[in-house]
């Protein structure tokens, strides 16, 4: 009932206490509230945050978040997967299926989770989000923050990915290439073959 309070203090306190209790009956009631479309959205989100705060979600419930019609639920489903790190294969597949989601908030969370979810190859995910994010101003920066550490050891994989016809004409990918060139040329160990591959890709 406190999750429905107009007072944010009561809602936040109830969210914390319910998350700390984390009993099977509490979890069942929270899951039911999250998915009850006739309940106030604010109460439902607090219920969701209480569940996410426990550090685990039932895989079936988690899967429903990733396919929910409300983008906020999908975004939190992805964020939870990133926070947990190790998730079921079905959840991992669900996260990967949201690379081209219509919601920029969801795409942003996919970019953030790309390096966190165990078993995910982050470079194709990051490049896919970058190509799909349109004129969003924030996502390219987040993609770069997550991508640039990978270029020290996986630059060849990145070049192979962006050389695919799907991404070759992407404006966002093209805009990132000057940074990529600088990062690749600044690697600790020089690789002439990699520099040649980079030159050929840029020439194309």
């Amino acid at each position: 009932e406190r999750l429905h309070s107009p007072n944010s203090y009561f809602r936040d306190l109830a969210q914390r206490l319910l998350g700390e209790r984390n009993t099977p009956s509490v979890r069942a009631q929270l899951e039911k509230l999250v998915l009850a479309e006739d309940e106030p959205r604010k109460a439902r989100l607090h219920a969701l945050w209480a569940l996410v705060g426990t550090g685990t979600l039932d895989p079936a419930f988690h899967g429903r978040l990733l396919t929910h019609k409300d983008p906020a639920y999908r975004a939190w489903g992805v964020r939870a997967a990133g926070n947990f790190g190790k998730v079921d294969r079905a959840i991992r597949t669900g996260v990967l299926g949201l690379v081209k989601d219509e919601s920029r908030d969801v795409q942003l969370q996919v970019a953030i989770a790309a390096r966190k979810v165990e078993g995910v190859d982050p470079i194709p995910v990051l490049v896919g989000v970058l190509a799909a994010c349109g004129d969003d101003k924030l996502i390219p920066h987040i993609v770069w923050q997550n991508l640039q550490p990978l270029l020290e050891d996986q630059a060849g994989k990145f070049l192979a990915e962006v050389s695919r016809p799907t991404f070759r004409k992407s404006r966002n990918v093209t805009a990132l290439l000057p940074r990529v060139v600088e990062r690749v040329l600044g690697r600790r160990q020089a690789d002439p073959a990699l520099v040649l591959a980079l030159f050929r890709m840029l020439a194309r």
Side-chain angles (χ1 to χ4, degrees):
E1 291 177 358
R2 288 296 194 187
L3 294 179
H4 293 73
S5 172
N7 186 311
S8 62
Y9 171 77
F10 288 143
R11 293 198 307 273
D12 291 343
L13 184 59
Q15 174 189 319
R16 179 176 65 82
L17 292 174
L18 290 167
E20 289 175 353
R21 289 172 186 170
N22 194 27
T23 62
S25 62
V26 165
R27 294 186 68 90
Q29 291 181 71
L30 289 172
E31 289 180 2
K32 183 178 179 181
L33 176 56
V34 170
L35 300 174
E37 296 188 6
D38 57 338
E39 294 285 356
R41 187 171 186 267
K42 193 170 291 186
R44 296 167 66 198
L45 285 173
H46 276 283
L48 174 58
W49 299 332
L51 285 167
V52 172
T54 67
T56 182
L57 292 175
D58 175 74
F61 173 77
H62 200 164
R64 294 185 69 176
L65 293 179
L66 295 172
T67 59
H68 201 281
K69 65 181 181 180
D70 187 332
Y73 285 67
R74 299 197 300 275
W76 272 99
V78 174
R79 182 169 177 171
N83 289 346
F84 301 160
K86 188 173 184 178
V87 294
D88 287 0
R89 179 181 295 180
I91 301 304
R92 190 165 64 240
T93 301
V95 170
L96 295 177
L98 296 174
V99 167
K100 298 181 180 179
D101 193 271
E102 61 185 19
S103 167
R104 298 292 181 251
D105 290 337
V106 176
Q107 290 182 347
L108 175 64
Q109 293 302 325
V110 172
I112 294 171
R115 292 176 59 203
K116 296 181 177 182
V117 178
E118 190 176 303
V120 168
D121 185 353
I123 286 181
V125 175
L126 292 168
V127 173
V129 171
L130 181 64
C133 72
D135 58 359
D136 189 271
K137 302 300 182 185
L138 176 60
I139 291 177
H141 294 288
I142 299 300
V143 166
W144 174 246
Q145 289 175 10
N146 284 275
L147 177 65
Q148 67 92 7
L150 302 175
L151 295 177
E152 181 66 32
D153 301 314
Q154 301 182 52
K157 179 182 289 188
F158 171 81
L159 296 182
E161 188 69 22
V162 297
S163 294
R164 293 170 53 195
T166 308
F167 304 121
R168 197 175 295 167
K169 295 183 179 181
S170 167
R171 183 178 61 183
N172 290 335
V173 172
T174 301
L176 195 68
L177 290 182
R179 291 184 178 184
V180 171
V181 170
E182 184 177 2
R183 182 65 181 84
V184 170
L185 295 180
R187 294 192 337 151
R188 288 190 296 271
Q189 291 190 337
D191 184 346
L194 184 61
V195 175
L196 179 60
L198 178 61
F199 179 81
R200 286 174 172 167
M201 184 198 72
L202 294 172
R204 284 198 302 270

